[in-house]
Amino acid sequence: MNDHVHVDPAALTKNQALVFSALSDANGPLTAYAILDELRGDGFKAPLQVYRALEKLIEGGLVHRLESLNAFVACRHPTGCSHQWAAFAICESCGDVKEFSPDKAMDLLKDWAENDGFKLAKTTVELRGQCPACLAT
Amino acid sequence: MNDHVHVDPAALTKNQALVFSALSDANGPLTAYAILDELRGDGFKAPLQVYRALEKLIEGGLVHRLESLNAFVACRHPTGCSHQWAAFAICESCGDVKEFSPDKAMDLLKDWAENDGFKLAKTTVELRGQCPACLAT
DNA sequence: ATGGACATGTTATAGTATTACATCACTGAT
DNA sequence: ATCAGTGATGTAATACTATAACATGTCCAT
Ligand SMILES: [Zn+2]
Ligand SMILES: [Zn+2]
Ligand SMILES: [Zn+2]
Ligand SMILES: [Zn+2]
């Protein structure tokens, strides 16, 4: 079920480590070009350097892509979580993103797929709305 | 709960009707630029004509945006479905897209949001994998 | 040392979406 | 009839996101 293996961060290549570090330092999602700008001081010059690193980081379960933002975020989960079943709540006011694992809802989606004969590889679940902090203001 | 109101297709403007017709005639999702190419014979010349029409059609609940494809699809549901809670199964082999309404799973996501104090406006739920037809080959 | 696998560098290009500004059509009030 | 307000449209330019193509480098196993 969990066929994404968490990669030992120590095993990352130089570019992968730089991109992961940029995402980890950010307090929210970054676009690929924002990452590029962060890393120009480290010698990055072309978007492909970022996209190639992101591809590996996503494969390794260290980073998620947020489809509805065209942006990327470092996984905050402990090693071993099931990345292809993660979900995100995205605040449309402040941009804050919270990752969570709606296991029950995912099980129901898996059930739907099974009943339909659809071989499920991964899901994209992104909630849009307003976070508690923004609602409180 | 259902704050998206289905628009009377007869009330569409000329451009909106053309875009909706292009999407309805297609047997799957189309990108904005694919729609533009479809409609050049009808006088369309710029992407903005497509994007503006899509915006209204999505507001009216006649069209869905598929975030993980950067593409758009006509809603096949009967009038009155809850568009902000629709889900899609996308075949990565043939590109087929099936819309469905996983009400139970959505209820669980709504519950999660409520417990977290997150004011949920809409969800993006997109399943990726292989459809029954492609699995059969 | 040689070949293979993989990471990287660099340039160019493709694909997606929005900004800015001008114009037009309709409606309602004067 | 004129005018103002609203919303739709036309057009050009630009911004943003992602990949193709090809050259080079690095490391390890043979
Ligand atoms: Zn995660
Ligand atoms: Zn917020
Ligand atoms: Zn629908
Ligand atoms: Zn298929």
Side-chain angles (χ1 to χ4, degrees):
Chain A
M1 190 64 15
N2 180 7
D3 53 13
H4 282 214
V5 175
H6 264 270
V7 162
D8 177 4
L12 297 177
T13 68
K14 174 163 164 285
N15 284 1
Q16 288 161 21
L18 285 167
V19 168
F20 183 59
S21 162
L23 281 173
S24 297
D25 292 348
N27 55 7
L30 296 178
T31 68
Y33 280 76
I35 295 169
L36 174 58
D37 287 339
E38 286 286 320
L39 296 179
R40 287 196 191 278
D42 296 289
F44 272 49
K45 292 189 175 155
L48 201 45
Q49 296 174 290
V50 176
Y51 282 108
R52 287 204 273 228
L54 285 170
E55 183 181 14
K56 297 298 182 184
L57 292 168
I58 291 170
E59 276 178 29
L62 295 175
V63 167
H64 297 281
R65 175 187 172 88
L66 298 173
E67 301 285 356
S68 64
L69 295 178
N70 292 328
F72 305 86
V73 68
C75 177
R76 308 291 187 184
H77 273 178
T79 291
C81 85
S82 296
H83 281 265
Q84 64 274 53
W85 315 120
F88 303 88
I90 300 167
C91 177
E92 293 179 322
S93 295
C94 69
D96 180 64
V97 172
K98 182 166 184 177
E99 179 176 353
F100 64 108
S101 296
D103 295 329
K104 293 269 195 309
M106 287 295 174
D107 286 345
L108 289 172
L109 293 175
K110 290 174 194 170
D111 288 347
W112 179 90
E114 185 161 1
N115 287 335
D116 202 62
F118 186 89
K119 185 179 176 193
L120 186 55
K122 71 157 299 198
T123 60
T124 295
V125 175
E126 299 177 11
L127 278 50
R128 309 296 297 252
Q130 294 191 251
C131 74
C134 286
L135 287 172
T137 60
Chain B
M1 190 69 9
N2 180 7
D3 53 14
H4 282 210
V5 175
H6 266 271
V7 163
D8 178 1
L12 298 177
T13 68
K14 175 163 161 283
N15 285 1
Q16 289 162 19
L18 286 166
V19 168
F20 184 61
S21 162
L23 280 173
S24 298
D25 291 349
N27 54 9
L30 295 178
T31 67
Y33 281 75
I35 295 169
L36 175 58
D37 287 339
E38 286 286 320
L39 296 179
R40 286 196 192 279
D42 297 290
F44 273 48
K45 291 186 177 158
L48 199 49
Q49 295 174 292
V50 176
Y51 283 108
R52 286 204 274 227
L54 284 171
E55 183 180 15
K56 297 298 182 184
L57 291 167
I58 291 170
E59 275 178 29
L62 296 174
V63 166
H64 297 282
R65 174 185 173 90
L66 299 172
E67 301 285 355
S68 65
L69 295 178
N70 292 327
F72 305 86
V73 66
C75 176
R76 307 292 189 185
H77 274 177
T79 290
C81 83
S82 295
H83 281 264
Q84 65 273 54
W85 315 121
F88 303 88
I90 300 168
C91 177
E92 292 178 324
S93 295
C94 69
D96 180 64
V97 172
K98 183 167 182 177
E99 179 175 353
F100 65 107
S101 296
D103 295 329
K104 292 272 196 309
M106 288 295 174
D107 286 345
L108 289 172
L109 293 175
K110 289 174 195 169
D111 289 346
W112 178 91
E114 185 162 359
N115 286 334
D116 200 63
F118 186 89
K119 186 178 176 192
L120 187 55
K122 70 159 299 199
T123 60
T124 295
V125 175
E126 299 178 11
L127 278 50
R128 308 296 296 250
Q130 294 191 251
C131 74
C134 287
L135 287 171
T137 59

